[in-house]
Amino acid sequence: NAPYEARYWLLTWYGNGGPGSFDGVYEEVVNWRFKLASLMTLKNVAIGGSHESYEWILGESRYCLVPKGMGYWTHRLYEVLIAGCIPVILSDYVVLPFQGILGIDWRQFSVKWPEDMIGPELYRWLVHVDLTRGAQLKAMVDKVSCWFDYHEDPDKPGCSAVHATLVALQQQKQQRRPIVRKEDEEHRGGQQQQQQQQQQQQ
């Protein structure tokens, strides 16, 4: 996890379905990934197909593209956070995990960009973000990344993805509890009284 200022690459993405990749499935389902080719020749950008030094490159990059996979979701979101890289989310309909839980606010440690606007505009925006608040985003990535690490010991004190998942499930359970209004209770009580009176008359 190199310090922010020591990271060489401004922008990184390696994977299937993009420039230099010949994965037919991805070409058919998410062929918009080939828009990433418009970024390949820009300064301090590393983009291509699968790479044997993928993890090392993530650790040397400031911003890591996280395009949608076969669905809206992709495991790369977790990979880049563990590598200390600021995620650039390129999935319009993805539901981000743990939002609002344990103080997690995705706006503080990620960048979200429309899928249909992938191109030089994205690069220029990241250069701007890099100059204005890149260090702050990186600091927050380092602060919250442990909540996305499923390899952390769940029994060890501190934060882990398992603990965050349990907290999220507990909150969902509480939110799904039926809310009984006073008028509903009175209505239900009235129904019970009527039933009792009918039974007595019978």
Side-chain angles (χ1 to χ4, degrees):
N1 190 355
Y4 187 73
E5 63 277 2
R7 294 178 174 236
Y8 176 76
W9 301 105
L10 173 70
L11 178 61
T12 293
W13 182 80
Y14 283 99
N16 295 326
S21 171
F22 300 98
D23 188 315
V25 176
Y26 276 88
E27 288 178 5
E28 294 176 5
V29 180
V30 287
N31 58 12
W32 58 264
R33 284 190 178 194
F34 282 94
K35 293 182 179 180
L36 299 176
S38 62
L39 303 170
M40 294 179 66
T41 60
L42 300 176
K43 184 179 180 181
N44 291 9
V45 171
I47 288 179
S50 299
H51 198 291
E52 60 182 7
S53 301
Y54 171 69
E55 291 83 3
W56 177 82
I57 295 174
L58 291 183
E60 294 294 324
S61 303
R62 297 187 177 188
Y63 298 88
C64 293
L65 299 181
V66 185
K68 66 189 291 291
M70 299 297 290
Y72 298 131
W73 182 243
T74 172
H75 61 86
R76 293 182 182 275
L77 186 58
Y78 290 88
E79 294 175 352
V80 302
L81 285 170
I82 299 306
C85 189
I86 300 167
V88 180
I89 301 165
L90 304 174
S91 181
D92 293 348
Y93 302 105
V94 67
V95 177
L96 298 171
F98 310 147
Q99 171 64 26
I101 296 172
L102 302 166
I104 295 173
D105 184 350
W106 281 89
R107 295 169 298 179
Q108 296 181 354
F109 59 91
S110 69
V111 176
K112 201 163 188 296
W113 188 263
E115 296 173 8
D116 59 356
M117 293 180 62
I118 297 173
E121 299 87 355
L122 171 58
Y123 178 83
R124 289 192 289 269
W125 174 245
L126 291 178
V127 170
H128 169 73
V129 173
D130 183 52
L131 294 173
T132 56
R133 59 190 183 100
Q136 290 88 342
L137 290 170
K138 166 61 175 167
M140 284 303 299
V141 166
D142 292 340
K143 182 177 180 179
V144 305
S145 61
C146 56
W147 293 117
F148 301 91
D149 188 355
Y150 281 93
H151 297 286
E152 285 282 348
D153 184 355
D155 297 324
K156 181 180 177 181
C159 67
S160 71
V162 173
H163 179 59
T165 300
L166 292 175
V167 173
L169 291 173
Q170 183 63 29
Q171 288 194 4
Q172 288 183 1
K173 181 180 179 180
Q174 293 175 349
Q175 292 171 357
R176 290 176 181 174
R177 288 179 180 174
I179 301 175
V180 179
R181 299 176 301 175
K182 183 178 180 180
E183 53 266 34
D184 292 334
E185 290 182 335
E186 294 174 349
H187 178 67
R188 188 181 301 113
Q191 286 182 326
Q192 291 175 350
Q193 289 180 354
Q194 289 178 357
Q195 291 174 354
Q196 290 174 358
Q197 291 175 357
Q198 291 174 356
Q199 290 175 353
Q200 291 174 356
Q201 291 175 357
Q202 293 175 355

mmCIF file of all heavy atoms in Angstrom, residues 3 22 28 43 53 58 69 76 81 84 117 127 139-140 142 144 156-157 175 179 181 183 190 192 194:
data_model
loop_
_atom_site.group_PDB
_atom_site.id
_atom_site.type_symbol
_atom_site.label_atom_id
_atom_site.label_comp_id
_atom_site.label_asym_id
_atom_site.label_seq_id
_atom_site.Cartn_x
_atom_site.Cartn_y
_atom_site.Cartn_z
ATOM 1 N N PRO A 3 2.288 5.060 -0.407
ATOM 2 C CA PRO A 3 1.695 6.382 -0.143
ATOM 3 C C PRO A 3 1.166 6.999 -1.438
ATOM 4 O O PRO A 3 1.634 6.694 -2.529
ATOM 5 C CB PRO A 3 2.870 7.180 0.431
ATOM 6 C CG PRO A 3 3.846 6.164 0.906
ATOM 7 C CD PRO A 3 3.694 4.982 0.008
ATOM 8 N N PHE A 22 -9.610 -10.621 -25.701
ATOM 9 C CA PHE A 22 -10.375 -11.288 -26.762
ATOM 10 C C PHE A 22 -11.399 -12.245 -26.149
ATOM 11 O O PHE A 22 -11.638 -13.322 -26.650
ATOM 12 C CB PHE A 22 -9.421 -12.046 -27.688
ATOM 13 C CG PHE A 22 -8.416 -11.136 -28.343
ATOM 14 C CD1 PHE A 22 -7.137 -11.022 -27.819
ATOM 15 C CD2 PHE A 22 -8.754 -10.370 -29.445
ATOM 16 C CE1 PHE A 22 -6.210 -10.170 -28.413
ATOM 17 C CE2 PHE A 22 -7.834 -9.511 -30.041
ATOM 18 C CZ PHE A 22 -6.556 -9.419 -29.515
ATOM 19 N N GLU A 28 -19.618 -9.410 -26.126
ATOM 20 C CA GLU A 28 -21.033 -9.376 -26.474
ATOM 21 C C GLU A 28 -21.868 -8.668 -25.412
ATOM 22 O O GLU A 28 -22.809 -7.950 -25.731
ATOM 23 C CB GLU A 28 -21.549 -10.813 -26.653
ATOM 24 C CG GLU A 28 -20.933 -11.532 -27.849
ATOM 25 C CD GLU A 28 -21.394 -12.971 -27.923
ATOM 26 O OE1 GLU A 28 -22.254 -13.355 -27.096
ATOM 27 O OE2 GLU A 28 -20.902 -13.719 -28.776
ATOM 28 N N LYS A 43 -1.218 10.269 -20.488
ATOM 29 C CA LYS A 43 -0.086 10.237 -19.563
ATOM 30 C C LYS A 43 -0.431 9.494 -18.276
ATOM 31 O O LYS A 43 -1.491 9.715 -17.685
ATOM 32 C CB LYS A 43 0.359 11.660 -19.240
ATOM 33 C CG LYS A 43 1.597 11.741 -18.347
ATOM 34 C CD LYS A 43 1.989 13.183 -18.091
ATOM 35 C CE LYS A 43 3.220 13.273 -17.196
ATOM 36 N NZ LYS A 43 3.604 14.679 -16.926
ATOM 37 N N SER A 53 1.197 -8.875 -13.452
ATOM 38 C CA SER A 53 1.561 -8.025 -12.314
ATOM 39 C C SER A 53 0.394 -7.147 -11.880
ATOM 40 O O SER A 53 0.581 -6.044 -11.374
ATOM 41 C CB SER A 53 2.766 -7.148 -12.679
ATOM 42 O OG SER A 53 3.884 -7.927 -13.033
ATOM 43 N N LEU A 58 -1.959 -2.247 -9.227
ATOM 44 C CA LEU A 58 -2.990 -1.611 -8.410
ATOM 45 C C LEU A 58 -2.354 -0.844 -7.252
ATOM 46 O O LEU A 58 -2.762 0.276 -6.930
ATOM 47 C CB LEU A 58 -3.960 -2.652 -7.841
ATOM 48 C CG LEU A 58 -4.892 -3.377 -8.805
ATOM 49 C CD1 LEU A 58 -5.828 -4.302 -8.037
ATOM 50 C CD2 LEU A 58 -5.686 -2.408 -9.664
ATOM 51 N N GLY A 69 -19.311 -5.703 -14.317
ATOM 52 C CA GLY A 69 -18.961 -7.007 -14.849
ATOM 53 C C GLY A 69 -20.077 -7.542 -15.735
ATOM 54 O O GLY A 69 -20.710 -6.801 -16.477
ATOM 55 N N ARG A 76 -13.887 -6.544 -8.468
ATOM 56 C CA ARG A 76 -12.741 -5.621 -8.542
ATOM 57 C C ARG A 76 -12.876 -4.459 -7.564
ATOM 58 O O ARG A 76 -11.878 -3.858 -7.173
ATOM 59 C CB ARG A 76 -12.595 -5.086 -9.971
ATOM 60 C CG ARG A 76 -12.198 -6.155 -10.967
ATOM 61 C CD ARG A 76 -12.027 -5.581 -12.361
ATOM 62 N NE ARG A 76 -11.698 -6.635 -13.297
ATOM 63 C CZ ARG A 76 -10.470 -7.090 -13.520
ATOM 64 N NH1 ARG A 76 -9.462 -6.572 -12.845
ATOM 65 N NH2 ARG A 76 -10.248 -8.047 -14.391
ATOM 66 N N LEU A 81 -9.795 -1.497 -3.383
ATOM 67 C CA LEU A 81 -9.798 -0.902 -2.050
ATOM 68 C C LEU A 81 -8.715 -1.521 -1.179
ATOM 69 O O LEU A 81 -8.006 -0.810 -0.451
ATOM 70 C CB LEU A 81 -11.171 -1.085 -1.397
ATOM 71 C CG LEU A 81 -12.283 -0.175 -1.916
ATOM 72 C CD1 LEU A 81 -13.633 -0.622 -1.379
ATOM 73 C CD2 LEU A 81 -12.017 1.280 -1.544
ATOM 74 N N GLY A 84 -5.446 -0.124 -1.756
ATOM 75 C CA GLY A 84 -5.282 1.288 -1.408
ATOM 76 C C GLY A 84 -5.480 2.231 -2.569
ATOM 77 O O GLY A 84 -5.013 3.370 -2.544
ATOM 78 N N MET A 117 -20.072 8.044 -20.715
ATOM 79 C CA MET A 117 -19.167 9.181 -20.860
ATOM 80 C C MET A 117 -17.706 8.784 -20.656
ATOM 81 O O MET A 117 -16.852 9.618 -20.377
ATOM 82 C CB MET A 117 -19.544 10.284 -19.862
ATOM 83 C CG MET A 117 -20.884 10.937 -20.152
ATOM 84 S SD MET A 117 -21.313 12.228 -18.956
ATOM 85 C CE MET A 117 -19.970 13.414 -19.224
ATOM 86 N N VAL A 127 -7.731 14.189 -13.285
ATOM 87 C CA VAL A 127 -6.589 15.092 -13.076
ATOM 88 C C VAL A 127 -7.008 16.216 -12.133
ATOM 89 O O VAL A 127 -6.255 16.595 -11.217
ATOM 90 C CB VAL A 127 -6.091 15.658 -14.418
ATOM 91 C CG1 VAL A 127 -5.074 16.779 -14.184
ATOM 92 C CG2 VAL A 127 -5.460 14.548 -15.257
ATOM 93 N N ALA A 139 -6.780 9.026 1.875
ATOM 94 C CA ALA A 139 -6.782 8.858 3.328
ATOM 95 C C ALA A 139 -8.031 8.108 3.785
ATOM 96 O O ALA A 139 -7.973 7.253 4.678
ATOM 97 C CB ALA A 139 -6.686 10.212 4.017
ATOM 98 N N MET A 140 -9.171 8.412 3.160
ATOM 99 C CA MET A 140 -10.406 7.723 3.520
ATOM 100 C C MET A 140 -10.400 6.275 3.033
ATOM 101 O O MET A 140 -10.938 5.387 3.699
ATOM 102 C CB MET A 140 -11.606 8.472 2.952
ATOM 103 C CG MET A 140 -11.970 9.730 3.707
ATOM 104 S SD MET A 140 -12.313 9.432 5.468
ATOM 105 C CE MET A 140 -13.703 8.298 5.373
ATOM 106 N N ASP A 142 -7.789 4.352 2.906
ATOM 107 C CA ASP A 142 -6.988 3.634 3.897
ATOM 108 C C ASP A 142 -7.755 3.426 5.198
ATOM 109 O O ASP A 142 -7.558 2.424 5.896
ATOM 110 C CB ASP A 142 -5.694 4.407 4.179
ATOM 111 C CG ASP A 142 -4.755 4.424 2.987
ATOM 112 O OD1 ASP A 142 -4.912 3.555 2.107
ATOM 113 O OD2 ASP A 142 -3.877 5.303 2.943
ATOM 114 N N VAL A 144 -11.146 3.042 5.531
ATOM 115 C CA VAL A 144 -12.314 2.153 5.441
ATOM 116 C C VAL A 144 -12.019 0.821 4.759
ATOM 117 O O VAL A 144 -12.875 -0.068 4.773
ATOM 118 C CB VAL A 144 -13.484 2.839 4.692
ATOM 119 C CG1 VAL A 144 -13.836 4.161 5.350
ATOM 120 C CG2 VAL A 144 -13.141 3.057 3.219
ATOM 121 N N LYS A 156 -11.128 -11.286 15.182
ATOM 122 C CA LYS A 156 -10.128 -10.322 15.633
ATOM 123 C C LYS A 156 -10.800 -8.963 15.863
ATOM 124 O O LYS A 156 -11.575 -8.502 15.031
ATOM 125 C CB LYS A 156 -9.035 -10.186 14.583
ATOM 126 C CG LYS A 156 -7.917 -9.222 14.955
ATOM 127 C CD LYS A 156 -6.885 -9.154 13.830
ATOM 128 C CE LYS A 156 -5.796 -8.148 14.155
ATOM 129 N NZ LYS A 156 -4.799 -8.058 13.043
ATOM 130 N N PRO A 157 -10.524 -8.319 16.993
ATOM 131 C CA PRO A 157 -11.110 -6.992 17.243
ATOM 132 C C PRO A 157 -10.730 -6.010 16.141
ATOM 133 O O PRO A 157 -9.617 -6.032 15.615
ATOM 134 C CB PRO A 157 -10.499 -6.585 18.581
ATOM 135 C CG PRO A 157 -10.083 -7.871 19.225
ATOM 136 C CD PRO A 157 -9.666 -8.772 18.094
ATOM 137 N N GLN A 175 -35.128 -2.557 9.868
ATOM 138 C CA GLN A 175 -35.897 -1.706 8.970
ATOM 139 C C GLN A 175 -37.127 -2.420 8.423
ATOM 140 O O GLN A 175 -38.113 -1.782 8.052
ATOM 141 C CB GLN A 175 -35.018 -1.237 7.811
ATOM 142 C CG GLN A 175 -33.916 -0.269 8.246
ATOM 143 C CD GLN A 175 -32.933 0.012 7.134
ATOM 144 O OE1 GLN A 175 -33.022 -0.550 6.042
ATOM 145 N NE2 GLN A 175 -31.976 0.881 7.392
ATOM 146 N N ILE A 179 -44.314 -1.617 11.149
ATOM 147 C CA ILE A 179 -44.609 -0.482 12.003
ATOM 148 C C ILE A 179 -46.107 -0.499 12.322
ATOM 149 O O ILE A 179 -46.951 -0.380 11.432
ATOM 150 C CB ILE A 179 -44.228 0.842 11.320
ATOM 151 C CG1 ILE A 179 -42.722 0.835 10.996
ATOM 152 C CG2 ILE A 179 -44.587 2.032 12.189
ATOM 153 C CD1 ILE A 179 -42.267 2.043 10.224
ATOM 154 N N ARG A 181 -49.147 1.237 13.796
ATOM 155 C CA ARG A 181 -49.640 2.551 14.176
ATOM 156 C C ARG A 181 -50.713 2.422 15.248
ATOM 157 O O ARG A 181 -51.368 1.386 15.369
ATOM 158 C CB ARG A 181 -50.194 3.285 12.957
ATOM 159 C CG ARG A 181 -49.151 3.537 11.859
ATOM 160 C CD ARG A 181 -49.801 4.187 10.657
ATOM 161 N NE ARG A 181 -50.863 3.337 10.109
ATOM 162 C CZ ARG A 181 -51.656 3.714 9.112
ATOM 163 N NH1 ARG A 181 -51.514 4.910 8.571
ATOM 164 N NH2 ARG A 181 -52.594 2.899 8.668
ATOM 165 N N GLU A 183 -53.645 3.824 15.424
ATOM 166 C CA GLU A 183 -54.977 3.615 14.862
ATOM 167 C C GLU A 183 -55.175 2.176 14.394
ATOM 168 O O GLU A 183 -56.287 1.637 14.424
ATOM 169 C CB GLU A 183 -55.255 4.590 13.707
ATOM 170 C CG GLU A 183 -54.189 4.591 12.605
ATOM 171 C CD GLU A 183 -53.149 5.674 12.839
ATOM 172 O OE1 GLU A 183 -52.854 5.951 14.019
ATOM 173 O OE2 GLU A 183 -52.663 6.237 11.854
ATOM 174 N N GLY A 190 -60.875 -3.243 18.037
ATOM 175 C CA GLY A 190 -62.300 -3.198 17.750
ATOM 176 C C GLY A 190 -62.776 -4.470 17.075
ATOM 177 O O GLY A 190 -63.862 -4.986 17.376
ATOM 178 N N GLN A 192 -61.479 -7.439 17.421
ATOM 179 C CA GLN A 192 -61.477 -8.513 18.408
ATOM 180 C C GLN A 192 -62.716 -8.439 19.295
ATOM 181 O O GLN A 192 -63.315 -9.462 19.645
ATOM 182 C CB GLN A 192 -60.196 -8.423 19.253
ATOM 183 C CG GLN A 192 -58.938 -8.761 18.476
ATOM 184 C CD GLN A 192 -57.677 -8.540 19.289
ATOM 185 O OE1 GLN A 192 -57.720 -7.961 20.377
ATOM 186 N NE2 GLN A 192 -56.551 -9.021 18.768
ATOM 187 N N GLN A 194 -65.636 -7.203 18.477
ATOM 188 C CA GLN A 194 -66.781 -7.634 17.683
ATOM 189 C C GLN A 194 -66.835 -9.159 17.598
ATOM 190 O O GLN A 194 -67.907 -9.772 17.694
ATOM 191 C CB GLN A 194 -66.710 -7.039 16.275
ATOM 192 C CG GLN A 194 -66.968 -5.533 16.239
ATOM 193 C CD GLN A 194 -66.839 -4.976 14.841
ATOM 194 O OE1 GLN A 194 -66.495 -5.698 13.907
ATOM 195 N NE2 GLN A 194 -67.117 -3.684 14.691
#
